[in-house]
Amino acid sequence: MLKMSKYLGMVLIVVILFATSCDPFNSIIEKKSNSDAVTYYKAENIKSTITGDTLNIVTWNIKFGAGRIDFFFDCYGDRVIMKKEEVISNMNGVINKIKSLNPDIIYLQEADVQSKRSAFIDQIQIILDNTDLNYGVYASQWKADFVPSDGVGKVNSGNAILSKYELTDAERMPLDLIAEDPAYVQYFYLRRNILKANAKIGDKDFVLYGTHTSAYSNDGTKLKQLKAIKEELDKTNSEGKTFIMGGDFNTIPPNSVRYELFDDGAEAGGCDSTSSYFETGFAGQLDDMKMFFDTYNAAIPLSKYGLTDANQKNYYSFTADKNGFWNRKLDYIFTNKDFAGNSGKVHQKGNDDGLPTMPLSDHAPLSVKFKLK
Amino acid sequence: MKFKILIIIGILSFSASVNAQSLKWSDNTADILEQGRKETGIFSPLKIGLKNSKELSIHPILFFIIPNASIKKQWKANDKYRFSSLHKFTYPTMLYKMLSRKGTGGVLPSTSKIPQMFKFNNAALLSIDKFNQTFTFSLGVDLSLNFGESDFTYIEWHMVYPRTYALNNIFTPYAGVDVTGKLYKNFVYDYKFNAYYLARTDAGFVTENSFKITWQKSDKFAIKAGAIYSYGKFPFGNDGGLYPTFDLMFGF
């Protein structure tokens, strides 16, 4: 009798322990293995692909299909949730631009697959189904059954690599969480990562990397993330493999003339220093990207980026102010092989195809041609 | 899932050989508290046994942000069955306004326009004792009458969604079955299945399977612990979530 009573007591304790130790909002993506934390996608219809002498590579932070709706974190507005029609309309713009850019491989950041803010539309799938891209891999960067802050609710947003070619062996490699954030913020907020996938294109094997590093890190976490990315690239390079990496590094290049007091700040109606989304500028971070430029080839090399604002502004890829102009470069593509000379371009205006990029996202797409032969 | 079902069947089989539970503590059946008895919990409401086979329930702490009260009235009780009705009123407007905010705690966007909302819940409960267990069948409906300017979104979190669905969609019918009995000595189990029918906008069901064990130390103190599995059609598609439940109960 006493034994049975003890047994039931143990059951009760186990239940209580379970109650206090689990992940009730399913936000800890890292509880899955790196390979299990990736979702594979396939277009509804697989389109045939002709491989030429170059691969067209694009990276683009698509701001979860919000276009230029001013969200609360922009400080220009207070929107939290979009209507389905708004998301579809914005995504049609993104899709048309992608079709026009015609990438063989595109790295996407802030792609929503199941978020209340974007009407639960799977943005990866609709891009695959409406462009010439066939395959995709996705890794969550922000995932929770419910985020009880600002009315965000359910969110699943992250990095994706989409390709005309099949992607295999994908992994989500976690990066450091922002150390200065309290535990509850770490639990509910963004969990940065490197998304890795392999692709065989023609007779060549590629390792593809996509990433999106922290934006509001003032405690050195972002630099740790950048170093972790560099280490991963160095490892792949040392194994003699070819990599192409694209992403939003949330860091400006070395030699940048503009590094603080950007024209989309408080004076233009953007975030001021009282906001938790206030961008403090990049003083002291000007050399953070140098390690990549020193070792690998960039879509926009430093020689092209130049030393003057008049030159550098041609490669700016971000602004929070839809009524302004791009004012800093945060987006990059790197490889340990060769890009076709001078092919790197930030699509700031849409003069080529009549599809302006400013209304589509707070980032402009960056493209470059990779030399296959 | 199969494993969970096996555990539940095993517990039911085992408990069938022991006596039915004590009625001192309140439960999900058509039974009511003894007249004069009161009980409450950290998360549970204060329940008071009244005369004329009635039981009053209010959540005293939450009352100031979400005024609420419910009455359970037992209409019939004999050897074969007990029949009760449950009538609950909540006024969630103040709570919703509090939760419509920027930053931490902002369950809804700060721009939400919250109307005056009067939510009524009415349910019928039929309890039958069989195999030394108590089986309770319930059928009810949530009804919300809203007045004034209204522009606020649903709360899609698993357990909250069906319970607040009527606030956005007027009504939510539901039905359930509960099985409870004594496990061993002063350990009591309770298994409950509930299905909510979400009638408007992409109609579908949300179901809940909850299981808990209560250690009734005495008539004055008990510990409840268990889990609830919510599964069904949410605004983002079919989904499920498992959540722990826990409470410390005090009777007096």
Side-chain angles (χ1 to χ4, degrees), chain B residues 116-249:
Chain B
Q116 298 297 323
M117 298 185 286
F118 303 92
K119 183 166 170 267
F120 303 91
N121 167 240
N122 294 292
L125 302 164
L126 177 71
S127 290
I128 300 166
D129 291 334
K130 280 277 178 192
F131 316 117
N132 282 325
Q133 318 299 311
T134 302
F135 295 83
T136 301
F137 304 91
S138 58
L139 191 65
V141 64
D142 275 355
L143 176 71
S144 182
L145 302 176
N146 298 1
F147 302 95
E149 194 177 5
S150 173
D151 183 10
F152 66 103
T153 181
Y154 48 78
I155 300 172
E156 71 278 15
W157 194 35
H158 293 129
M159 284 188 297
V160 178
Y161 184 61
R163 288 173 176 77
T164 56
Y165 185 82
L167 300 178
N168 300 85
N169 297 283
I170 304 176
F171 71 100
T172 314
Y174 65 91
V177 60
D178 181 281
V179 189
T180 186
K182 199 169 188 177
L183 266 179
Y184 178 76
K185 281 194 167 178
N186 46 4
F187 287 88
V188 173
Y189 80 92
D190 184 276
Y191 165 76
K192 187 176 184 183
F193 172 82
N194 233 17
Y196 298 86
Y197 180 60
L198 311 181
R200 296 162 70 96
T201 57
D202 302 330
F205 284 94
V206 170
T207 61
E208 288 178 352
N209 285 277
S210 66
F211 182 78
K212 65 174 180 275
I213 296 173
T214 305
W215 175 45
Q216 299 179 345
K217 184 176 183 299
S218 66
D219 286 345
K220 292 184 175 172
F221 180 69
I223 300 175
K224 289 181 180 180
I228 181 164
Y229 181 70
S230 168
Y231 181 84
K233 190 169 184 184
F234 293 89
F236 46 87
N238 289 336
D239 196 32
L242 181 67
Y243 298 93
T245 58
F246 175 74
D247 209 354
L248 300 178
M249 302 295 297

Side-chain angles (χ1 to χ4, degrees), chain A residues 17-225:
Chain A
L17 283 174
F18 167 73
T20 54
S21 64
C22 67
D23 171 20
F25 292 90
N26 281 312
S27 75
I28 303 173
I29 306 156
E30 293 77 17
K31 68 189 173 194
K32 288 185 176 176
S33 70
N34 287 0
S35 53
D36 287 344
V38 173
T39 306
Y40 286 84
Y41 281 82
K42 203 172 177 181
E44 199 176 9
N45 300 307
I46 301 298
K47 287 80 68 174
S48 62
T49 298
I50 299 166
T51 307
D53 291 346
T54 59
L55 288 175
N56 192 15
I57 312 293
V58 175
T59 185
W60 195 8
N61 179 327
I62 59 169
K63 197 189 175 184
F64 53 92
R68 280 300 182 165
I69 293 172
D70 288 323
F71 267 62
F72 66 95
F73 52 79
D74 294 317
C75 300
Y76 283 92
D78 52 13
R79 282 292 290 276
V80 180
I81 295 165
M82 291 182 283
K83 293 186 178 122
K84 194 174 181 180
E85 310 86 73
E86 289 177 311
V87 182
I88 288 171
S89 169
N90 290 333
M91 285 307 296
N92 282 339
V94 169
I95 286 165
N96 287 336
K97 192 71 198 180
I98 291 174
K99 282 162 83 172
S100 169
L101 295 171
N102 190 26
D104 294 294
I105 295 160
I106 185 167
Y107 301 91
L108 298 177
Q109 300 85 46
E110 293 190 30
D112 276 12
V113 297
Q114 201 178 58
S115 301
K116 186 179 191 177
R117 64 183 181 180
S118 50
F120 299 112
I121 289 171
D122 188 333
Q123 299 176 347
I124 305 292
Q125 193 64 56
I126 62 167
I127 290 173
L128 287 175
D129 291 345
N130 292 284
T131 63
D132 286 338
L133 295 157
N134 289 322
Y135 302 94
V137 289
Y138 167 81
S140 298
Q141 171 164 283
W142 192 16
K143 180 177 178 293
D145 285 347
F146 198 88
V147 178
S149 178
D150 295 292
V152 169
K154 185 175 175 66
V155 68
N156 191 350
S157 180
N159 298 320
I161 304 173
L162 310 188
S163 167
K164 290 180 178 174
Y165 306 91
E166 190 160 6
L167 301 170
T168 60
D169 306 305
E171 284 181 63
R172 178 191 181 278
M173 307 166 82
L175 293 170
D176 280 10
L177 300 178
I178 295 178
E180 66 183 354
D181 281 345
Y184 74 91
V185 174
Q186 287 188 342
Y187 179 74
F188 282 110
Y189 202 44
L190 279 66
R191 308 176 89 85
R192 307 284 179 170
N193 61 78
I194 308 168
L195 173 59
K196 177 185 177 186
N198 292 342
K200 192 169 182 69
I201 301 172
D203 57 351
K204 287 191 167 67
D205 291 316
F206 288 83
V207 184
L208 308 175
Y209 290 105
T211 198
H212 185 189
T213 59
S214 291
Y216 305 105
S217 152
N218 296 312
D219 63 352
T221 301
K222 184 167 65 181
L223 184 56
K224 278 187 195 168
Q225 294 172 347

